[in-house]
Amino acid sequence: MLNSNEILQTLRMIDQNKLDVRTITMGISLLECVPGPESGLCDRIYDRIARQAERLVPVGDEIERELGIPIVNKRISITPAALISAGTDPVALARALDRAAKAVGVNFLGGFSALVHKAMTAADQALIRAIPEALATTDVVCSSVNVGTTKAGINMDAVRLMGQVIKEAAERTKEMDGFACAKLVVFSNAVEDNPFMAGAFHGVGEGDAAINVGVSGPGVVKAALEECKGAPFDVVAETIKRTAFKITRVGQLVAKEASRRLNVPFGIVDLSLAPTPTMGDSVAHILEEMGLEVTGTHGTTAALALLNDAVKKGGVMASSHVGGLSGAFIPVSEDIGMIDAANKGVLCLDKLEAMTCVCSVGLDMIAIPGDTPAETISAIIADEAAIGMINQKTTAVRIIPAPGKGVGDQVVFGGLLGEAPIIPVHRESSKTFIDRGGRIPAPIHSLRN
Amino acid sequence: MKAVVTVLGKDRTGIIANVSNLLYQKGVNILDISQTILSGMFTMIMLVEVGQDAQYDEVRSALMDLAKEMGLEIRVQRSDIFDAMHRI
């Protein structure tokens, strides 16, 4: 029999520490939609998604009611669209995806994507060039482009193109502070089973469909650390591990239930600490609880490294399949502590870049001046992709050059995407560097066979 | 299915009587019950057996109505979530 303390601890985690399951994401393969006349591709895709995901939202709500834990998002990820879009207008395809996602009631659909880490096909190029219009004229479609891997190196032609695409996406949504860029991620070493947006897609190594679940719970970790003030780091790491274990067990339970009820195979649980802009749900506040006055000061990278590792160690035993991005997210606009640190000028782009060497993803939801040249954005992407390539980890850039705004201004996206101060970038040019194009060769440790 | 009913609120007469009476009317079997006052707050935890899945929503919604009526916080959750978190 459970004891009262355990039951009340769970309730406290949910009520006061904002424990939730961040997302149930259904991965759907669209490869079966390809055969048939090109003119009917959008209809076939719409039908496939509407049929497969018909019960996703009601089942998610049902599990939420029964277990009494919020399941914040229900989402869909699809086969990277560039693999199936040859001969079709990519923007029309994005609109079909948008309609299908809305028909089944999900919050976001990810996978308007291209994997171009070595080179681009004609279909990849067409899709990438269509990203600004696709994101500006749809509501829930998210896009990602993989420009590098440890095995293939970095496709610098794609990196150059993505700088231009990000600028254009921002310009097309300038009345919303460049909101389209919040739905666009540039990856190195992208993973095939990530349930989190905006970078989710259903990889080609996946089956017809899969249920992937992303857990959350920065508030729970912070509350646990409040109990061990002044204790050595061994105790801090142990406390995080224990907490991550409990959080992940809930994710595993939800994933199994969703898989059973939807009759879709269980894929993975993503052990990520995903913050929200509300108080008590911040990764930055965990770092500050460890003893940093403000996130971004000296010691931040070490604190984040410990956190990221302990989350994985604690969570991995709690789930039969762990995957996705798994670690601590550090999106600036989506984390109240990060927003405060950026407002104080302590958290700068260079420090964020250092943090991405030890956390789960990368430069995320960072607003930069609207007049930042496309080549500078490409160079930021190249730096981040290089960190991913050399360290054999996923890295990403989701950056927003807010049109008409400069350092000191704010961008406001609302909801989970939050708000952020514009932070400065180096003004010295990277144009000649980016103009070279070509491919940065894969590192020596890619040759492991 | 087994579910945990937690009742939190300012102590007053009739809380146990009303909650258990409602469960009785809905045919829900109470397997275990514990009750305490924590910093002036009445706290009751019940482990119950809800007959069929379909009955779960009905019981839950009746308890929500009672919570509103009596100014209490009542939660019904499948016991699986607590087992998952606290038992290996």
Side-chain angles (χ1 to χ4, degrees):
Chain A
M1 168 66 186
L2 291 153
N3 70 45
S4 310
N5 284 339
E6 290 169 341
I7 290 169
L8 293 173
Q9 183 193 50
T10 300
L11 292 185
R12 201 162 45 240
M13 284 181 177
I14 296 170
D15 290 346
Q16 292 167 25
N17 308 142
K18 299 188 167 52
L19 173 62
D20 57 46
V21 170
R22 185 53 47 85
T23 179
I24 300 179
T25 302
M26 180 185 279
I28 302 175
S29 169
L30 299 184
L31 294 175
E32 69 172 52
C33 302
V34 177
E38 282 169 8
S39 58
L41 180 67
C42 291
D43 291 339
R44 293 196 294 278
I45 286 173
Y46 178 94
D47 291 344
R48 165 88 179 108
I49 294 171
R51 198 176 57 246
Q52 182 72 59
E54 189 183 9
R55 292 178 53 241
L56 174 59
V57 173
V59 163
D61 292 344
E62 205 175 277
I63 296 171
E64 174 174 318
R65 267 199 314 278
E66 287 182 17
L67 296 180
I69 182 158
I71 298 174
V72 183
N73 296 295
K74 293 90 188 172
R75 295 164 168 173
I76 291 171
S77 62
I78 56 156
T79 305
L83 294 175
I84 56 168
S85 65
T88 300
D89 171 15
V91 176
L93 195 152
R95 288 177 187 154
L97 294 172
D98 201 49
R99 283 196 305 277
K102 287 172 180 166
V104 295
V106 292
N107 314 83
F108 280 114
L109 179 148
F112 191 75
S113 305
L115 310 176
V116 296
H117 33 275
K118 202 164 205 177
M120 292 181 269
T121 63
D124 288 329
Q125 290 215 31
L127 183 128
I128 291 173
R129 290 185 194 283
I131 287 173
E133 188 180 351
L135 295 184
T137 57
T138 57
D139 297 312
V140 296
V141 172
C142 293
S143 178
S144 57
V145 176
N146 192 58
V147 297
T149 65
T150 302
K151 275 283 184 194
I154 303 172
N155 179 349
M156 290 299 289
D157 293 325
V159 168
R160 180 173 53 198
L161 182 56
M162 287 315 296
Q164 297 159 7
V165 166
I166 288 172
K167 283 285 283 186
E168 194 189 329
E171 203 50 46
R172 277 180 179 266
T173 47
K174 61 181 171 202
E175 65 293 345
M176 292 185 288
D177 287 338
F179 177 65
C181 298
K183 299 184 285 179
L184 172 59
V185 185
V186 186
F187 275 118
S188 173
N189 288 326
V191 292
E192 299 201 324
D193 50 12
N194 161 29
F196 286 101
M197 295 297 166
F201 63 85
H202 186 70
V204 287
E206 300 281 322
D208 284 330
I211 288 294
N212 300 319
V213 165
V215 297
S216 186
V220 183
V221 174
K222 173 162 187 307
L225 290 186
E226 284 168 7
E227 303 298 314
C228 45
K229 282 197 191 303
F233 284 114
D234 320 61
V235 177
V236 171
E238 277 304 305
T239 306
I240 296 171
K241 277 160 64 179
R242 282 169 200 273
T243 312
F245 180 83
K246 289 180 182 176
I247 294 171
T248 309
R249 290 274 283 190
V250 176
Q252 171 81 8
L253 174 65
V254 168
K256 283 282 184 194
E257 280 292 327
S259 161
R260 186 178 61 79
R261 292 178 197 202
L262 292 163
N263 196 26
V264 168
F266 161 57
I268 55 96
V269 173
D270 186 320
L271 317 172
S272 284
L273 290 184
T276 69
T278 51
M279 202 54 172
D281 210 12
S282 159
V283 169
H285 287 165
I286 299 175
L287 307 180
E288 289 167 11
E289 186 59 43
M290 285 191 213
L292 302 170
E293 187 179 342
V294 180
T295 294
T297 191
H298 303 295
T300 300
T301 310
L304 185 59
L306 182 152
L307 172 65
N308 202 52
D309 185 61
V311 165
K312 288 181 208 171
K313 284 176 178 160
V316 77
M317 293 293 286
S319 170
S320 49
H321 295 285
V322 172
L325 300 168
S326 287
F329 290 168
I330 51 166
V332 175
S333 78
E334 300 175 3
D335 184 314
I336 186 87
M338 294 279 179
I339 297 169
D340 287 345
N343 272 327
K344 287 174 184 158
V346 180
L347 192 60
C348 63
L349 200 57
D350 290 344
K351 186 64 181 178
L352 280 161
E353 185 183 309
M355 291 162 73
T356 67
C357 300
V358 299
C359 80
S360 73
V361 197
L363 295 172
D364 197 11
M365 290 302 287
I366 298 171
I368 58 172
D371 63 358
T372 306
E375 294 82 7
T376 299
I377 295 173
S378 294
I380 292 170
I381 294 169
D383 282 343
E384 200 55 32
I387 290 171
M389 175 183 75
I390 295 293
N391 295 301
Q392 301 176 74
K393 73 183 285 289
T394 305
T395 50
V397 174
R398 182 163 54 148
I399 205 162
I400 304 111
K405 295 202 168 174
V407 175
D409 294 332
Q410 294 270 334
V411 294
V412 180
F413 298 124
L416 282 179
L417 295 169
E419 60 182 89
I422 311 273
I423 59 176
V425 298
H426 294 292
R427 307 307 293 186
E428 296 76 14
S429 174
S430 311
K431 185 172 184 316
T432 311
F433 176 76
I434 291 301
D435 281 349
R436 287 176 184 273
R439 203 146 45 96
I440 294 181
I444 188 69
H445 55 262
S446 69
L447 305 172
R448 298 175 76 176
N449 291 336
Chain B
M1 74 171 83
K2 281 187 184 157
V4 172
V5 178
T6 44
V7 182
L8 303 168
K10 197 164 175 298
D11 193 22
R12 55 175 283 188
T13 55
I15 299 179
I16 298 179
N18 277 297
V19 173
S20 24
N21 188 39
L22 186 151
L23 293 173
Y24 167 69
Q25 281 170 9
K26 298 286 177 193
V28 175
N29 189 23
I30 300 173
L31 304 173
D32 199 353
I33 181 167
S34 75
Q35 177 251 305
T36 182
I37 307 284
L38 281 175
S39 339
M41 289 286 278
F42 175 86
T43 308
M44 176 167 72
I45 298 170
M46 290 169 148
L47 181 67
V48 302
E49 177 83 47
V50 184
Q52 301 151 357
D53 286 7
Q55 201 193 356
Y56 181 91
D57 277 341
E58 190 192 323
V59 172
R60 186 176 170 276
S61 124
L63 282 167
M64 294 303 112
D65 290 345
L66 180 67
K68 209 176 284 175
E69 204 179 293
M70 296 190 71
L72 299 166
E73 250 184 68
I74 303 185
R75 274 194 186 68
V76 195
Q77 292 163 280
R78 270 175 48 191
S79 62
D80 300 13
I81 187 168
F82 303 103
D83 289 330
M85 282 182 111
H86 302 288
R87 294 288 176 273
I88 297 175

